[in-house]
Amino acid sequence: MLRFVYRGKEYGWEEWHEEKKKFVDKLELPDDLLIDWGLRDASIAHDRGYSIAMDKYRELYYLIASARNALINSFDKFYESNIIQWGSDYKAHIWMRSEYLKNSIIWYNSCEDYIYQAIWFAFEMGGGKISSREDYEKQLKKVCYKSIKSKLEEQGTTESKELLSYINDYRFDENVKYMRETLANNLKHRGNLNFMGIEDNRMLGFKIQDENKNMIFELSWIEPLIIDIDETIGKMSQVHEELINFARKIKDFINFDKMFELDEEGNIVLGLIKDKREYKKIIFD
């Protein structure tokens, strides 16, 4: 019977697959974020802001699916592919896992931006109507945490405070902050992120002190940040859960369904159009 040892724990084939199944089952794929295409199509003639926000939620769903898939692949301990073989030196397997994990980090980090875009367009924070592709792209460039925070604080209503609290709860969650500021920023902008087992540091240390033994320079200051791959996968699985909770809170707050009049059977009545003040919790004049 095939057995292997990972970090001091011995696995049989069935035991390993059971452990992986438990991990996969924890990573929910949130089908409820995939806004119904009929609802989206019906909305475009009535409220373009809400309709764009629905698009952003559908895009968010597929981005979460991509990030989740990469995270699941990073959880594998051994690979058999045209890139590396089962019996390869374990550094090759760590490298493969790290590549999946890095993709997962970047994609999960991007999800927050998609939710901000949904908020921005749902509540028409950019002001004027979109009259060209250039107008749309200009608005996208304006969307960020600071802009949304400023607009909601300026409005100062109970509803705007509620929305900002949801945003802050996610943005400053310990694991989300670590993903954004330590993992994603290092990957995107600094290139100094590495993984235990495949470090590429200098073999010799180096430091300089002045005559008073004060440190002037130490090599460790500029070396890559080295992270534990299993520990990081665990943190990212928690980010996945927090992200879905955040996305659902914002979706419930926007309440896409409320923009339509419904008949007795719950079907949309296309001929009846509500005033935006009847269903939007926040209005920017």
Side-chain angles (χ1 to χ4, degrees):
M1 178 184 292
L2 178 64
R3 301 189 71 80
F4 62 92
V5 177
Y6 181 76
R7 287 194 163 183
K9 182 176 179 180
E10 185 174 298
Y11 294 90
W13 194 249
E14 289 184 3
E15 292 169 310
W16 163 242
H17 276 281
E18 182 61 30
E19 185 165 307
K20 183 177 179 180
K21 183 179 182 300
K22 287 179 182 177
F23 180 76
V24 172
D25 288 345
K26 282 198 312 181
L27 300 177
E28 178 189 3
L29 191 57
D31 292 338
D32 55 302
L33 300 186
L34 196 58
I35 306 294
D36 178 74
W37 65 266
L39 186 68
R40 181 183 60 165
D41 285 354
S43 68
I44 192 66
H46 176 31
D47 188 325
R48 289 172 198 165
Y50 259 38
S51 192
I52 293 170
M54 291 179 191
D55 285 344
K56 294 303 170 185
Y57 259 89
R58 289 183 68 88
E59 291 166 9
L60 174 66
Y61 170 85
Y62 292 116
L63 189 61
I64 290 173
S66 295
R68 176 182 180 270
N69 181 62
L71 187 59
I72 289 168
N73 282 321
S74 75
F75 185 78
D76 274 330
K77 305 300 187 288
F78 295 91
Y79 299 92
E80 182 70 37
S81 71
N82 61 345
I83 300 174
I84 61 173
Q85 301 298 313
W86 175 273
S88 301
D89 184 277
Y90 196 66
K91 282 189 176 182
H93 295 277
I94 296 177
W95 173 82
M96 190 81 152
R97 296 180 70 196
S98 72
E99 292 300 297
Y100 282 121
L101 181 55
K102 285 188 285 187
N103 277 285
S104 177
I105 290 165
I106 296 300
W107 284 328
Y108 274 120
N109 188 62
S110 298
C111 289
E112 187 173 353
D113 294 331
Y114 281 64
I115 297 175
Y116 290 161
Q117 290 169 19
I119 292 168
W120 182 273
F121 286 106
F123 298 111
E124 300 174 319
M125 292 183 172
K129 294 181 179 179
I130 296 169
S131 56
S132 67
R133 179 76 186 184
E134 288 73 24
D135 285 348
Y136 175 62
E137 290 178 353
K138 281 179 183 178
Q139 288 218 32
L140 283 173
K141 289 176 183 177
K142 294 177 183 178
V143 181
C144 65
Y145 169 74
K146 286 184 179 179
S147 296
I148 291 174
K149 177 175 180 286
S150 176
K151 286 182 177 292
L152 292 175
E153 286 179 339
E154 184 179 329
Q155 184 153 112
T157 62
T158 300
E159 290 80 9
S160 62
K161 290 176 182 177
E162 179 186 354
L163 178 55
L164 185 56
S165 73
Y166 294 152
I167 293 169
N168 285 337
D169 285 348
Y170 178 77
R171 184 169 181 83
F172 298 108
D173 173 85
E174 184 178 335
N175 288 314
V176 173
K177 193 174 178 182
Y178 176 74
M179 171 190 68
R180 181 178 64 250
E181 298 182 2
T182 301
L183 301 179
N185 279 348
N186 273 293
L187 281 172
K188 292 191 296 182
H189 307 302
R190 305 177 195 130
N192 59 344
L193 189 66
N194 217 324
F195 295 86
M196 291 180 185
I198 53 172
E199 304 93 330
D200 188 28
N201 291 341
R202 293 174 172 86
M203 293 180 66
L204 300 177
F206 181 79
K207 61 177 67 174
I208 303 174
Q209 295 177 323
D210 64 17
E211 63 275 9
N212 297 316
K213 303 296 183 182
N214 296 313
M215 194 65 67
I216 296 174
F217 177 79
E218 186 171 352
L219 184 60
S220 63
W221 297 348
I222 63 168
E223 289 181 332
L225 174 67
I226 299 172
I227 60 175
D228 181 286
I229 195 163
D230 293 305
E231 204 173 273
T232 306
I233 289 169
K235 288 180 183 292
M236 293 307 301
S237 70
Q238 292 175 46
V239 168
H240 177 91
E241 183 179 346
E242 292 299 327
L243 171 64
I244 291 172
N245 289 338
F246 175 44
R248 283 175 173 152
K249 282 181 182 178
I250 300 304
K251 179 173 172 280
D252 289 345
F253 184 88
I254 294 172
N255 197 352
F256 293 111
D257 293 342
K258 201 171 181 182
M259 68 183 291
F260 296 107
E261 292 285 0
L262 304 178
D263 62 21
E264 293 179 356
E265 297 178 354
N267 299 313
I268 296 171
V269 181
L270 294 177
L272 297 177
I273 299 176
K274 286 184 178 180
D275 184 274
K276 290 180 181 180
R277 293 182 182 276
E278 292 183 55
Y279 60 86
K280 285 187 189 281
K281 293 180 179 177
I282 301 173
I283 298 288
F284 288 91
D285 294 319

